[in-house]
Amino acid sequence: MSASRRSGTTDELGPDEPEQPERDGADLLAALLDGMDAALCAFDADGVVTHWNREAERILGWSAAEAVGRQGFAGWAVRRADAGEVEERLLSAMRAPGRQVHEFALLTKDGGRVLVRTQSAAVRGPDGRPAGVYCAFSEVHAQIDLERSIALSEALLEDASWGVVLVDVDLRPAVVNAHAARALGAGRTSVLGRPLGDLLAQGVEELESALTHVLAEGAPPGPAEVWVSVRTPEGERRRCWRSGFVRLASPLAEEPVPLGVGWLFQDVTEGKQAEQEAALLRFRTNQLHRAARAAAECEDPAEAAVVHLDFALAGFADHALIDRVVGERGHGAGDLEAVDPEAAGPVRLMRVAATPSGAPGPSVPTGTSGMPVRYGEGHPAVQCVERAGSVRASAGARAVPAERVREWATARQWPADTVHALCAVLRSRGRTLGVVTFLRGSGRSAFERSDAVYAEDVAVRIAAALDLAGAVEGRQGQR
């Protein structure tokens, strides 16, 4: 219990005497001093200890009853050799404006020494003159730990090279550093208090699930990679953030009370994309190698063309078609940028092979009827033949109704679930032999330039196999 020196005596008072509020005020002051987290003592103008709280007792071991009333620290809380200097530095606060900070060693009751940091300031009487000094002190290592924690938090929230977001228990940003604000495509103050769904178009559910888990269970054992789409004035940006989470709890509560989650993240999009592209390239190169070895064992070159198509389909598209040019239009002079200029008629294509449209399965030959496919003018496959180059087509963005997507696919003679298409020309010995078309459904992204390069590699192999099949048929017809 904290204690203070009281001077003077009073006559016996009744319960209603005016002295009672003064005693209540003294009790309140004692309770406030005892409830402080910092150690506190006070001296009068003569250097006599007048106040001593519980935290001072905890640090030094001297109780309030043992400390209050002593003349300075000499001989009990400070070595006699150091007492004069220590008291002079403490009492000098009565003659100086503001607070003064000092560090020196105090003695504990059991004879140990504790290095403390003190803040002292003058206590003035009713007349404005210095009446004493109060001194708040704490162990230096505890003060340094506190200062380090404050410095670390300020550095994280100002100068860190990764994003730092403090999220409250309602999963809304409460504090955002500059790096995180730039990553979210907004200002530091404009994101505060807003739902994460207002800032992110995709990945919100995964991120909120991680934050909820941390609030309930604590930090995960390692960082997590979260793919999100950030809303920006220029549109949505797909990003990958390597994220770490820590649960924030109040240090003032007897039991841990969650204040929110500290979310630290770093943009690793470029690295992840490079890893994915490298893995995809390895897979596709392996598929081309396996397809070449399997096709080499096919006795029928037309069968080898279908083998190349099936190997290319894995992980690349949902459906695939091979259409061959009907007539002499493809017999050009070897220029890869134009078809035969003398063949001025419309492009006609005949289906050679196709994957099943209802369920996954191997491609099957379909060219027994010899009838051309009813492709309209401007069809991507027709454009591919006319340009002698790859053509990409798509039903549109995600907002397109499903009925319109089905109409778009059906009008082009493709399976009804088609959303994206890629046509690659079949060229061999300077001639356009036909088109290979790869189709993707709504569960896949649109074809990109890298996909077109792969499709062109596959088309070269299919064209060589079809050219060989035509040459074999011609020789058999001459016999």
Side-chain angles (χ1 to χ4, degrees):
M1 175 179 181
S2 67
S4 61
R5 186 181 64 178
R6 299 177 185 176
S7 60
T9 59
T10 61
D11 295 331
E12 183 177 350
L13 299 175
D16 297 327
E17 293 293 330
E19 192 68 25
Q20 184 68 30
E22 183 178 344
R23 288 205 302 268
D24 291 345
D27 293 340
L28 177 60
L29 175 61
L32 290 174
L33 294 179
D34 281 342
M36 294 178 61
D37 291 330
L40 187 137
C41 64
F43 304 86
D44 62 15
D46 298 326
V48 178
V49 178
T50 60
H51 296 79
W52 190 267
N53 72 348
R54 286 187 184 275
E55 185 65 12
E57 179 180 348
R58 186 193 68 80
I59 294 177
L60 298 180
W62 301 97
S63 66
E66 295 170 314
V68 172
R70 288 180 179 264
Q71 179 70 41
F73 282 159
W76 63 285
V78 175
R79 295 190 310 172
R80 292 191 180 277
D82 301 330
E85 179 186 358
V86 171
E87 291 181 14
E88 173 62 25
R89 292 164 69 181
L90 289 177
L91 296 179
S92 65
M94 287 192 295
R95 303 183 298 274
R99 292 181 298 175
Q100 292 190 339
V101 179
H102 302 286
E103 288 185 7
F104 43 75
L106 296 181
L107 296 178
T108 62
K109 187 175 182 180
D110 58 8
R113 300 182 70 194
V114 178
L115 185 62
V116 299
R117 178 174 296 176
T118 66
Q119 295 186 40
S120 55
V123 177
R124 302 191 179 276
D127 58 357
R129 295 181 179 180
V133 175
Y134 80 84
C135 172
F137 63 91
S138 61
E139 298 176 77
V140 167
H141 70 82
Q143 183 72 19
I144 292 176
D145 288 344
L146 175 61
E147 292 179 2
R148 284 174 178 162
S149 298
I150 295 173
L152 175 61
S153 63
E154 290 182 350
L156 287 176
L157 296 175
E158 295 294 338
D159 306 323
S161 60
W162 55 85
V164 180
V165 181
L166 303 186
V167 183
D168 62 21
V169 292
D170 294 327
L171 307 185
R172 298 180 182 229
V175 181
V176 179
N177 74 343
H179 188 97
R182 288 193 299 270
L184 292 169
R188 293 185 63 178
T189 57
S190 62
V191 302
L192 302 183
R194 295 173 58 187
L196 293 174
D198 290 351
L199 307 171
L200 304 176
Q202 295 181 6
V204 179
E205 294 82 3
E206 183 179 357
L207 182 57
E208 289 184 343
S209 176
L211 294 172
T212 303
H213 173 81
V214 173
L215 281 172
E217 305 293 337
E225 292 177 353
V226 182
W227 282 93
V228 299
S229 291
V230 183
R231 290 192 175 98
T232 66
E234 295 77 21
E236 295 181 5
R237 291 186 303 155
R238 182 85 168 149
R239 313 305 296 170
C240 180
W241 291 339
R242 180 169 292 149
S243 303
F245 304 93
V246 291
R247 181 167 58 180
L248 305 179
S250 173
L252 303 179
E254 295 183 1
E255 297 182 359
V257 177
L259 296 178
V261 176
W263 169 32
L264 293 83
F265 66 90
Q266 195 170 29
D267 195 320
V268 294
T269 307
E270 294 183 1
K272 293 301 296 183
Q273 288 177 341
E275 291 178 9
Q276 292 176 351
E277 290 173 0
L280 183 60
L281 180 60
R282 287 194 300 269
F283 174 76
R284 290 179 175 178
T285 302
N286 187 45
Q287 286 296 97
L288 291 174
H289 175 71
R290 293 175 60 196
R293 296 191 60 179
E297 301 300 322
C298 295
E299 189 172 338
D300 183 1
E303 181 184 352
V306 174
V307 167
H308 281 292
L309 186 67
D310 287 336
F311 272 93
L313 200 64
F316 182 68
D318 298 317
H319 304 292
L321 315 168
I322 298 178
D323 298 322
R324 190 160 186 174
V325 173
V326 178
E328 298 297 325
R329 184 180 177 90
H331 293 268
D335 187 351
L336 293 179
E337 297 182 357
V339 295
D340 186 356
E342 297 181 358
V347 175
R348 293 192 302 161
L349 296 169
M350 181 183 68
R351 183 66 44 81
V352 174
T355 55
S357 60
S363 303
V364 293
T366 59
T368 56
S369 65
M371 298 293 293
V373 185
R374 294 181 296 106
Y375 287 154
E377 185 178 356
H379 190 282
V382 175
Q383 294 181 27
C384 182
V385 173
E386 294 174 342
R387 300 176 185 178
S390 299
V391 175
R392 285 177 283 171
S394 180
R398 293 189 300 270
V400 177
E403 185 61 31
R404 290 188 59 185
V405 172
R406 285 192 294 269
E407 293 175 358
W408 177 86
T410 304
R412 287 156 181 77
Q413 308 299 315
W414 292 332
D417 59 346
T418 299
V419 178
H420 311 291
L422 171 60
C423 298
V425 66
L426 302 177
R427 295 279 297 183
S428 179
R429 294 188 296 160
R431 297 175 302 150
T432 299
L433 303 183
V435 180
V436 57
T437 303
F438 295 99
L439 307 173
R440 288 178 177 176
S442 58
R444 294 177 181 265
S445 60
F447 288 100
E448 299 179 355
R449 178 56 193 160
S450 59
D451 298 323
V453 172
Y454 178 62
E456 290 165 1
D457 286 343
V458 176
V460 169
R461 290 162 170 76
I462 294 176
L466 291 180
D467 195 11
L468 179 59
V472 171
E473 291 177 1
R475 291 175 184 174
Q476 291 177 348
Q478 292 177 358
R479 293 179 181 177

